[in-house]
Amino acid sequence: MPSSEMNKQELSAELEQVLREYNNFKARNLDLDMSRGKPSEGQIQAALGLLDAFNSKSEYKTESGINTLNYGCPDGLPECKALFADILGIDASKIFVGGNSSLNLMFDYILQCYALGASETSKPWSLQGEVKFLCPCPGYDRHFGIAEYLGIKMIPVKITETGPDMDEVEALVKDPSVKGMFCVPKYSNPTGVTYSDETVKRLAAMETADDFRIIWDNAYCIHDLFGREDTLLDMLTECEKAGNPNRAVEFASTSKISLSGAGVSVLAANAENLAYIKKRCAKQTIGHDKANQLRHVMYYKDIDGVKRHMKALSDIISPRFEVVLNAFESELGSLGIARWSKPNGGYFISLDVLDGTATRVYNLCKEAGVKLTNVGATFPYGKDPLDTNIRIAPTFPSIEELSTATELLVISIKIAALEKYINA
Amino acid sequence: MPSSEMNKQELSAELEQVLREYNNFKARNLDLDMSRGKPSEGQIQAALGLLDAFNSKSEYKTESGINTLNYGCPDGLPECKALFADILGIDASKIFVGGNSSLNLMFDYILQCYALGASETSKPWSLQGEVKFLCPCPGYDRHFGIAEYLGIKMIPVKITETGPDMDEVEALVKDPSVKGMFCVPKYSNPTGVTYSDETVKRLAAMETADDFRIIWDNAYCIHDLFGREDTLLDMLTECEKAGNPNRAVEFASTSKISLSGAGVSVLAANAENLAYIKKRCAKQTIGHDKANQLRHVMYYKDIDGVKRHMKALSDIISPRFEVVLNAFESELGSLGIARWSKPNGGYFISLDVLDGTATRVYNLCKEAGVKLTNVGATFPYGKDPLDTNIRIAPTFPSIEELSTATELLVISIKIAALEKYINA
């Protein structure tokens, strides 16, 4: 067992032993992928009924007379808004229903702020010189991808057990060139952290530029695991209470509820933001796919239907998380060479190995046939300054594959740690 | 019958007679809508089988191994690209498959050029001072809506029997602040004109700014009526031949093939434009709804399936066009108070009434319960300088409703003409 208290000889002997185990893995020609937060085959099969829920025999006009198969109803079916209102615990009047991708809704909203301004009266971000976004880290690479694409400077902010470090955030947003912030407030990607009530209230109340916007990506709003459940304050309400009603725009989708490739997304905002966004959408599209909205409404019927489905998914996902967490605990628990999150929901485990060894661990795994999320992906510009964080995505592989991959990962962590101690 | 050769007394007597007919209509409390190019119930029912084509028993992985229900394959299923390649008569490698709305693909592309530039190396349009788009008129109001939203100045260009007046276009595009042009090259909205080979070649070859782009909205590419068929040169090929490979980006969708609310859209472009567009899309979404792409592929199977469907739709739509065209011919044919298009396909009849009377005709119809497309909608900024054009959308009403609405329209045209003559 690697330990900082071993002498060089002991460390070398230990390394030799672990390398033997590693080479045994290499000989197996593995080809496993733990890199992306993708649902497994079982999760997809649990939702196949969705494909039958709306068929040629179904009533395709809603009670309110909307023909779901024709043009019209650009902001979404009332029935679909109602379902999402229950999922998010907000009023349906705040909801806009999009296509299959909440990332798409986010990108379009940020681009609207960038090219046309965050409100009717504010100057486009693109005309305000250098603008910046706060990025709680480790965080979600696709958020960072949007900012990088638009040339928005990203400022990393430390994420703690209660959400982003609010002292740091409050100091940084005083700079009027800071125009926004990415937040995954529940079961955060990848740390699993859920923002505390105090964090949410401070985010809602802090002093910022008028055209500062929080991208409230509530991607894992009802994605509990292990029968546990974190709670999160409603950000839109808190912003209203704090006198900053336009501060946050919320996003969610069924990509990790129903089908990743064929779900439904939503945006939620207060009246002024929503009107401003709908004004753009009215020029952008005649409306999103209402057949798929109705398909979801008919399949789930109501929030109880969604919750039953999430329970079934938890039964598939929780054991996968346990495989990883149990292996980490038993193999690394007492060694002091790694720390990891133990989330109550979401899609990821965030793993911190010894500083300066994450890339080595990634490469060791890769050479033995296990693909991890790129090191650095959880940081702006793909650069982890301490080379320490690895995002583990346990959902996609089978239990057996996951077990094998985690064994290899543990061995790789040990090798990298031993090498670091030896070269110290 | 109104005629410019009648004396005032004859005109007044005639007007009195036509007003009696008009008032009879008014007494019927009609509530008919000819304003939008929406499919009728029959067209929707013809496509209901689409809803069953892909169900829980179907193979949801493609032959190439793509899981259509999971993330991935952001530029569209190869099978779906192949189908659209046959529809558009171009190579599948040029195609990107989007969501349910080609307007959305267009808006996003134009916004990309506006906010980030038309290519990797060109300056955003938004940073080049006033920029302009050419708008063949009468044209499509939703195109004009995009330009107006972005503050792009619209320059109307006359549309002739062979497409936009190319002498005018060639002169205008010499101005480097002209950055683009909207074209509906086949069965143009609303004139029904299909661009001649010469027009296409001149558009491809003319001298323009480097970052000038033609929005080639091939919305009615296979939407023939009456068993007739116009032909259109492939714009992408012509641009390549002319040494301007990046000039045009093409758009189409199944909104008027399968289901308006739940179709599939495509964008087609040459390699450089496509790479540039895909670079944005890779940041914007993890991919569009592949289940709906597969649904379309399974329902139509191939281009012959699509063509059979279009024949069935033509059998529904053609008689509607005939109702309007026959009424115009028999009631207005010899009077010299209106001209109208006689298209071989598409969704519209373009009607020109006497200059200065279109608004009066619109209001007369409205007061008697028939909603026409807003006068001016077919021109930039909603302003028809001659107050002469009315777009007729015959698809949505039933034959009987359409017959009634056209009768009223004819009477309204006569009233407005008589009033004009009397006041002359």
Side-chain angles (χ1 to χ4, degrees), chain A residues 371-392:
Chain A
K371 179 150 177 42
L372 300 174
T373 303
N374 286 341
V375 171
T378 53
F379 287 81
Y381 309 105
K383 287 213 162 66
D384 176 356
L386 298 176
D387 189 25
T388 191
N389 186 252
I390 294 173
R391 185 182 79 165
I392 311 287

Side-chain angles (χ1 to χ4, degrees), chain B residues 276-309:
Chain B
Y276 182 65
I277 290 164
K278 282 187 185 177
K279 189 179 164 189
R280 181 219 342 131
C281 292
K283 303 300 173 186
Q284 189 174 23
T285 171
I286 303 176
H288 293 284
D289 183 342
K290 296 186 295 298
N292 208 31
Q293 293 175 27
L294 188 56
R295 195 172 284 121
H296 279 73
V297 169
M298 295 182 86
Y299 184 57
Y300 290 117
K301 298 200 165 57
D302 55 30
I303 181 69
D304 291 332
V306 177
K307 282 184 175 167
R308 274 193 300 275
H309 194 98

Side-chain angles (χ1 to χ4, degrees), chain A residues 39 41 52 55-56 60 108 284, chain B residues 41 52 56 60 70 108 284:
Chain A
E41 211 51 30
D52 304 327
N55 60 48
S56 65
Y60 56 87
D108 288 5
Q284 190 174 23
Chain B
E41 213 50 32
D52 304 327
S56 65
Y60 55 88
N70 214 324
D108 288 5
Q284 189 174 23

